[in-house]
Amino acid sequence: EADIYQTPRYLVIGTGKKITLECSQTMGHDKMYWYQQDPGMELHLIHYSYGVNSTEKGDLSSESTVSRIRTEHFPLTLESARPSHTSQYLCASQRSSTNSPLHFGNGTRLTVT
Amino acid sequence: QKEVEQNSGPLSVPEGAIASLNCTYSDRGSQSFFWYRQYSGKSPELIMFIYSNGDKEDGRFTAQLNKASQYVSLLIRDSQPSDSATYLCAVSPDTGRRALTFGSGTRLQVQP
């Protein structure tokens, strides 16, 4: 079972603040992903990475940015939070093989007031 | 047309019945297929994966794949109220440089 950790679990923050959502995995997986999901709605891919110094935008336009300086760490940053950013953010990792499943973290539920 | 399509439901079945969840995909070169279960407010968790045409069984769960019809399904036998959740179908592309594609999910309700 993959170990993938997201912090914080819940975050309530005011408009205009800069925030970083943390995601770390201990399985040495090359691929990592960030998804955004509103309650009862589908998953939307916002960023992904195939390895160190490799990041790409996903299908959903996002004002967030990501970095991948170390294999195990894939933080997501919002420079200026807005109420429209209120959502659940899910991090996932995957081995390099195309046949490998994604393993998800517990998510960060973000509320911007 | 979405790349991975699922009926949003809700699919309602009585306890003890077989629940059948379906998924179609558009990329004929897709290699791997995954079923995830997601409880409300929780992260998706992997239930099963299937790579080859035919059936694959794991306990009460059976995944069925038909690549010619571009169709994958999940059967849940002896459905329990604890199976009530949203089931996500995910499809892996034919190259390693693209991300997994998820369907929008089917909500299953098992009535006691």
Side-chain angles (χ1 to χ4, degrees):
Chain A
E1 185 176 328
D3 292 323
I4 179 165
Y5 307 99
Q6 290 187 244
T7 57
R9 186 75 178 88
Y10 301 93
L11 179 62
V12 180
I13 200 162
T15 297
K17 299 293 186 182
K18 178 180 178 179
I19 59 171
T20 296
L21 307 184
E22 300 289 348
C23 177
S24 295
Q25 49 95 7
T26 60
M27 302 305 291
H29 289 173
D30 287 326
K31 297 180 181 180
M32 296 189 75
Y33 305 87
W34 276 104
Y35 288 88
Q36 185 176 342
Q37 187 181 36
D38 293 325
M41 304 299 285
E42 62 187 287
L43 289 165
H44 291 286
L45 180 67
I46 51 176
H47 295 284
Y48 57 103
S49 168
Y50 291 129
V52 171
N53 294 325
S54 151
T55 62
E56 297 189 41
K57 288 186 181 292
D59 304 322
L60 181 68
S61 175
S62 174
E63 293 161 347
S64 59
T65 59
V66 292
S67 62
R68 190 88 184 278
I69 298 173
R70 304 196 317 267
T71 297
E72 63 271 21
H73 194 213
F74 191 43
L76 181 144
T77 298
L78 278 167
E79 291 292 334
S80 180
R82 294 210 303 267
S84 60
H85 296 136
T86 295
S87 189
Q88 166 135 291
Y89 292 84
L90 293 164
C91 181
S93 71
Q94 183 189 25
R95 287 201 328 257
S96 292
S97 166
T98 303
N99 292 340
S100 300
L102 261 63
H103 299 272
F104 285 87
N106 287 330
T108 293
R109 186 167 297 281
L110 173 65
T111 302
V112 183
T113 60
Chain B
Q1 181 190 7
K2 295 183 73 171
E3 291 185 52
V4 179
E5 300 228 31
Q6 296 181 254
N7 188 321
S8 61
L11 172 66
S12 185
V13 300
E15 184 174 355
I18 296 176
S20 177
L21 304 159
N22 304 316
C23 173
T24 59
Y25 59 95
S26 61
D27 183 356
R28 189 168 285 279
S30 297
Q31 297 291 317
S32 311
F33 307 86
F34 307 89
W35 282 100
Y36 286 82
R37 177 177 62 200
Q38 186 175 27
Y39 292 111
S40 179
K42 302 294 186 181
S43 299
E45 54 180 327
L46 181 70
I47 298 175
M48 290 196 69
F49 56 88
I50 186 167
Y51 308 141
S52 305
N53 277 329
D55 294 0
K56 179 182 178 182
E57 187 174 317
D58 183 1
R60 295 188 297 112
F61 299 98
T62 298
Q64 299 175 318
L65 175 61
N66 184 326
K67 288 188 176 181
S69 301
Q70 296 175 239
Y71 175 94
V72 59
S73 65
L74 179 71
L75 301 179
I76 307 175
R77 289 182 299 282
D78 188 24
S79 295
Q80 301 297 309
S82 59
D83 294 326
S84 298
T86 296
Y87 289 80
L88 303 169
C89 172
V91 176
S92 183
D94 59 354
T95 68
R97 294 293 298 181
R98 284 174 53 209
L100 228 59
T101 301
F102 282 85
S104 56
T106 298
R107 190 157 62 94
L108 173 66
Q109 294 177 340
V110 181
Q111 307 294 337

